[in-house]
Amino acid sequence: MPFPKPNLIGQSQAMQKILELANKVSDVDFNVLITGESGVGKELVARSLHYYSSRSHRPFVKVNSANLPSELVESELFGHEKGAFTGADKRKTGKFEHAADGSIFLDEIGELPLQLQAKLLQVLQDRCYHRVGGQKEVKVQARVIAATNQNLDKEIQEGNFRDDLYYRLSTISIHIPPLRQRKEDIPDLVVFFLKKISDKNKKPMISIPQSLMDIFYEYHWPGNVRELENYLNRLSILENFRELEEEITASSHKNKHGADKKHDNPAKTSKKSTPEPEELDSFPSLKEVRDKAVRKVELEVIEKVLLHVNWNRKEAAKILKISYRALLYKIKELDLSPPGRG
Ligand SMILES: Nc1ncnc2c1ncn2[C@@H]1O[C@H](COP(=O)(O)OP(=O)(O)O)[C@@H](O)[C@H]1O
Ligand SMILES: [Mg+2]
């Protein structure tokens, strides 16, 4: 299967700078270190570097330094010879060998045990290594791209990361800021993910009401782009109204206060809501944001349908594919009333 084309979305100045830099360095063999919080797109940038390099038809091998038990990392990276240690009943090729003259992506490099940091440094300096328990020299041909969500300066100060390895890895360093610092990217990302979801499900693209976009801007996205993508995936599933309803009923039990707000005129309720200043101060949890968002979407949909059918509730229930009783319950819960009778 050919290596899929990575799509790096983002009009923000920060993203544009990264794209420019990535473009410049994609075809030079310098080691690249990509830093940034989890979910900001480090792996995607690494894949882009590979895709736009002359190595794109060669392997891209990802190694997650955090997932491996420390005694296995060395053999995982560099392979071992038969009989190198107990349990090594076969010769094993390591990730560096798999990567050949492609790219090797060392993810979560900050988690690499100190002892292996020394080994990796040596390998990067000599451009060759021995398999564990082996005699033969194996050449490193792969381009090395590393990533971390840790603050390596701090790790170096605390003695957890070797500064000489840091300098070796970061000939070029690319820092990807968290999503909350480049909120301008949110609209494009939303469109990109919704399009991807609709292509995948072969369904029309769902649209996001302004009220929900407002919430997206308000939220601080600790899980960054990954969290946004997951959220939109969920939302597209919830588009199925029954599931949406279950979700709402479950969350409204835990979140009763949301139902207390009075809407004196349903036509008014779709008006853009401005967050209270104190709301902006404290970051809401994603669950709160989600509950709030789902409520808003639900309110807008039910309201629209009711207006459409002139408040014929039987008709509205049919369109919404929920039972008549469920709709009556919703109307009461959301405090909806026909225009002019509120
Ligand atoms: N700028 C972007 N444009 C499009 N998709 C993105 C972007 N940044 C991140 N993503 C997507 O978000 C998810 C998380 O990105 P990833 O590269 O795995 O983050 P990290 O490695 O920093 O944890 C992936 O599905 C990725 O494709
Ligand atoms: Mg990652």
Side-chain angles (χ1 to χ4, degrees):
M1 209 178 78
F3 191 75
K5 181 169 187 267
N7 267 312
L8 261 176
I9 307 298
Q11 289 299 316
S12 64
Q13 218 184 357
M15 251 353 256
Q16 288 299 313
K17 262 198 179 150
I18 288 167
L19 282 168
E20 212 176 284
L21 183 63
N23 235 334
K24 266 191 208 148
V25 302
S26 66
D27 230 1
V28 288
D29 275 342
F30 297 144
N31 296 335
V32 180
L33 178 67
I34 307 168
T35 58
E37 289 177 10
S38 187
V40 287
K42 296 184 294 296
E43 183 169 342
L44 192 65
V45 167
R47 288 177 182 277
S48 305
L49 289 171
H50 177 73
Y51 184 85
Y52 291 106
S53 76
S54 54
R55 297 168 181 266
S56 65
H57 294 286
R58 310 299 302 145
F60 176 92
V61 174
K62 173 180 166 177
V63 186
N64 191 328
S65 328
N67 283 347
L68 299 163
S70 61
E71 58 298 353
L72 284 183
V73 195
E74 182 168 1
S75 126
E76 192 67 24
L77 284 174
F78 306 110
H80 62 244
E81 297 294 344
K82 186 177 167 177
F85 46 85
T86 331
D89 49 358
K90 266 191 256 160
R91 176 173 172 201
K92 180 189 153 88
T93 46
K95 300 278 191 182
F96 269 91
E97 235 170 316
H98 291 166
D101 53 351
S103 308
I104 185 161
F105 175 50
L106 305 174
D107 202 6
E108 319 239 13
I109 193 75
E111 303 282 336
L112 201 67
L114 269 168
Q115 176 208 349
L116 264 148
Q117 291 177 26
K119 166 115 191 187
L120 180 63
L121 175 68
Q122 207 185 356
V123 171
L124 295 179
Q125 275 165 351
D126 303 347
R127 303 292 302 170
C128 66
Y129 60 90
H130 300 273
R131 296 190 195 100
V132 179
Q135 299 294 319
K136 211 183 117 208
E137 220 166 58
V138 187
K139 275 213 155 52
V140 172
Q141 293 169 296
R143 186 223 190 137
V144 177
I145 306 172
T148 181
N149 56 17
Q150 296 186 6
N151 179 345
L152 285 188
D153 285 335
K154 188 170 150 262
E155 295 305 314
I156 289 170
Q157 267 168 29
E158 289 173 3
N160 300 323
F161 203 83
R162 294 181 66 116
D163 59 348
D164 43 9
L165 177 61
Y166 173 77
Y167 294 120
R168 182 60 66 163
L169 288 170
S170 61
T171 314
I172 307 283
S173 68
I174 299 180
H175 177 70
I176 312 178
L179 187 58
R180 65 184 159 278
Q181 284 172 18
R182 47 181 172 103
K183 292 188 170 170
E184 318 88 279
D185 287 344
I186 292 176
D188 289 342
L189 283 166
V190 167
V191 170
F192 173 74
F193 290 131
L194 291 180
K195 170 95 178 45
K196 192 165 135 187
I197 290 164
S198 97
D199 288 350
K200 198 177 121 213
N201 302 339
K202 303 197 173 57
K203 276 194 189 164
M205 231 170 103
I206 59 168
S207 64
I208 300 289
Q210 187 56 45
S211 48
L212 185 51
M213 278 307 278
D214 292 345
I215 292 173
F216 284 177
Y217 269 94
E218 201 179 306
Y219 185 53
H220 72 305
W221 299 110
N224 293 292
V225 183
R226 178 178 297 117
E227 190 178 10
L228 176 63
E229 182 175 15
N230 289 344
Y231 181 82
L232 293 171
N233 275 322
R234 278 183 56 86
L235 203 72
S236 73
I237 296 166
L238 292 177
E239 193 210 6
N240 173 331
F241 211 85
R242 270 190 191 287
E243 279 180 49
L244 179 64
E245 179 174 79
E246 277 163 28
E247 176 86 5
I248 292 282
T249 330
S251 62
S252 61
H253 282 309
K254 292 174 211 138
N255 197 12
K256 267 273 175 274
H257 62 278
D260 293 342
K261 278 201 178 136
K262 285 269 176 226
H263 302 292
D264 46 8
N265 179 348
K268 263 191 195 167
T269 55
S270 54
K271 213 186 87 197
K272 191 178 145 180
S273 69
T274 340
E276 303 292 329
E278 64 268 25
E279 256 179 84
L280 286 171
D281 284 348
S282 58
F283 288 134
S285 74
L286 181 57
K287 177 151 183 358
E288 283 166 332
V289 170
R290 195 180 69 210
D291 291 350
K292 206 166 139 190
V294 173
R295 286 192 71 80
K296 280 198 181 189
V297 176
E298 187 183 47
L299 183 74
E300 282 180 26
V301 172
I302 295 181
E303 208 173 33
K304 244 189 230 161
V305 171
L306 281 169
L307 285 174
H308 179 73
V309 296
N310 227 341
W311 270 77
N312 180 333
R313 295 170 185 83
K314 288 230 160 75
E315 197 59 38
K318 255 189 233 158
I319 293 174
L320 294 165
K321 296 198 183 70
I322 56 173
S323 71
Y324 178 62
R325 274 190 51 202
L327 178 63
L328 292 186
Y329 174 76
K330 287 278 131 194
I331 290 174
K332 193 156 175 264
E333 191 199 38
L334 295 165
D335 201 20
L336 289 166
S337 50
R341 268 187 277 159

